[in-house]
Amino acid sequence: MKCVRCKGKGIIYLKRHNAAFCQDCFLYYYNNQVKKNIKKHRMFDKKDKILVVISGGKDSMALWHILAKEGYNVTGMYINLGIGQYSDKSQQVVESFAQKNGLELIVKDIKKEYGLDIYKLSKLLKRSTCSVCGSIKRYLFNKIAYDGGFSAVATGHNLDDEAATLLGNVLSWEEGYLARQSPVLESIHPKLVKKVKPLYTLTERENLFYVLINKIEFLHDECPHAVGARSIMYKDVLNRLEEESPGTKQRFITSFLEKGRKHFQDVYEKVELKECSICGQVTTTDVCSFCRFVRLSNQNTEN
Ligand code: SF4
Ligand code: ZN
């Protein structure tokens, strides 16, 4: 197996590109993909302040590392969601990486700072843990970015994540979610910060390779609630398709972005947005779900 670029010894084979790379040329390929994605979708430039969402897993750690290395003005943001050992371990990994590399990091703890417990809330609201957790994360990503004057919130979503989400949304024609599925989601309200996914064309395996080559510490464990999630089933199905027909995931995403998404664009733009009467953040209801969670948690501690 020869590296397609330098003809040296290839150490990673990317089936969908029918190409093998040596370590240096893989890093060149990876860098190029990230740069191309940022430029193509006008995600941000060196003058922008970027808030990078860090979970401690390989994808977000790879994103944080490459953006900092390329000289972007990045600040990491870690949210401790109170998921037992998983949260404690991931916080340690993230804090130690920031310290070793002299990177800015914002840490929020939803229990300590807002009195929120995703397990209690999920019981009280009869909603899944992930749905409660997802609402809290979305709220905080935007609020922290808005309050801190950031131009964009960057997440480490990879090609596998994006293809699995798209498949799930297509299976039930979730128009609202399809409208929002994009590597860059421009702001449609002065209090909404742009969301970007610079790694959306890179696979989980490529991100893993990137962190291993660069000796970046990351949390190997998945969140315990991810087990059995539908997205894992969609990933399995897509992996089988990819095995038979390499490039399926990338084609699925690119053709959706080129030909499919425009049909849902106005669903996103026509959503009626309000400002929460308590916190002033953007919502579709009078009081945003985060403020409702806080109110509910307070009521339940008082009783
Ligand atoms: Fe939150 Fe669910 Fe993701 Fe775990 S898997 S971090 S509970 S959304
Ligand atoms: Zn609110």
Side-chain angles (χ1 to χ4, degrees):
M1 182 165 85
K2 274 191 181 166
C3 169
V4 282
R5 200 165 155 255
C6 73
K7 311 295 172 219
K9 188 173 182 291
I11 52 163
I12 180 169
Y13 177 61
L14 306 183
K15 215 171 172 180
R16 73 182 192 291
H17 297 305
N18 187 23
F21 291 105
C22 68
Q23 185 166 305
D24 288 351
C25 293
F26 170 77
L27 290 177
Y28 176 85
Y29 152 83
Y30 190 96
N31 254 42
N32 251 0
Q33 285 282 315
V34 177
K35 275 193 207 154
K36 206 171 82 190
N37 293 341
I38 294 173
K39 200 168 165 205
K40 181 176 174 191
H41 298 281
R42 295 196 191 96
M43 293 184 178
F44 44 76
D45 59 37
K46 300 252 163 100
K47 293 187 294 293
D48 289 317
K49 260 178 84 181
I50 318 299
L51 189 66
V52 188
V53 175
I54 314 291
S55 67
K58 60 186 182 325
D59 306 302
S60 57
M61 296 303 278
L63 179 62
W64 199 11
H65 182 272
I66 194 160
L67 294 183
K69 192 174 70 63
E70 288 298 309
Y72 288 102
N73 181 359
V74 284
T75 298
M77 171 180 44
Y78 173 81
I79 300 177
N80 187 313
L81 297 154
I83 308 175
Q85 277 197 349
Y86 167 75
S87 288
D88 300 339
K89 277 204 253 171
S90 50
Q91 184 166 341
Q92 267 173 21
V93 168
V94 174
E95 286 179 334
S96 124
F97 183 78
Q99 208 186 15
K100 276 186 205 152
N101 295 280
L103 297 173
E104 299 266 343
L105 172 69
I106 298 173
V107 176
K108 295 277 170 197
D109 185 311
I110 62 160
K111 216 173 221 169
K112 287 187 198 146
E113 290 183 47
Y114 308 99
L116 298 176
D117 179 322
I118 56 169
Y119 300 106
K120 276 193 198 150
L121 283 165
S122 128
K123 254 191 212 154
L124 289 166
L125 294 158
K126 297 190 176 52
R127 274 170 64 175
S128 73
T129 321
C130 286
S131 135
V132 172
C133 176
S135 296
I136 295 174
K137 287 195 290 192
R138 276 192 301 278
Y139 175 90
L140 288 176
F141 295 166
N142 191 73
K143 177 164 172 53
I144 295 164
Y146 175 72
D147 290 348
F150 288 89
S151 333
V153 175
T155 53
H157 289 95
N158 58 45
L159 181 61
D160 302 82
D161 299 326
E162 290 301 287
T165 307
L166 181 59
L167 179 61
N169 290 337
V170 164
L171 288 176
S172 47
W173 290 111
E174 291 282 1
E175 292 183 312
Y177 291 132
L178 286 166
R180 287 199 293 273
Q181 177 146 11
S182 171
V184 56
L185 202 54
E186 293 291 348
S187 166
I188 48 163
H189 185 285
K191 285 189 171 178
L192 277 183
V193 181
K194 179 178 181 176
K195 312 286 180 317
V196 296
K197 302 171 183 171
L199 305 185
Y200 85 102
T201 54
L202 291 151
T203 62
E204 280 181 7
R205 180 170 165 256
E206 286 155 37
N207 289 341
L208 177 64
F209 216 66
Y210 181 84
V211 290
L212 292 176
I213 293 176
N214 286 291
K215 300 188 175 48
I216 301 167
E217 212 189 314
F218 67 99
L219 190 70
H220 294 247
D221 317 354
E222 287 272 355
C223 170
H225 303 290
V227 180
R230 277 212 190 139
S231 57
I232 302 224
M233 181 174 74
Y234 298 144
K235 280 186 182 174
D236 285 346
V237 171
L238 286 160
N239 284 342
R240 281 168 56 195
L241 290 170
E242 185 77 25
E243 197 50 46
E244 291 297 320
S245 171
T248 298
K249 291 179 203 175
Q250 188 134 10
R251 280 195 299 277
F252 188 35
I253 289 291
T254 356
S255 51
F256 168 72
L257 294 174
E258 284 168 10
K259 301 177 215 157
R261 186 169 175 261
K262 58 179 179 239
H263 300 291
F264 304 96
Q265 187 73 25
D266 54 342
V267 180
Y268 174 59
E269 283 161 6
K270 280 187 189 147
V271 177
E272 206 194 312
L273 298 172
K274 303 176 183 180
E275 290 186 14
C276 168
S277 57
I278 299 178
C279 71
Q281 277 286 294
V282 180
T283 174
T284 49
T285 46
D286 290 334
V287 175
C288 76
S289 56
F290 188 86
C291 287
R292 276 184 275 136
F293 291 173
V294 173
R295 196 159 62 186
L296 191 63
S297 306
N298 289 341
Q299 280 165 359
N300 273 273
T301 23
E302 282 160 18
N303 294 339

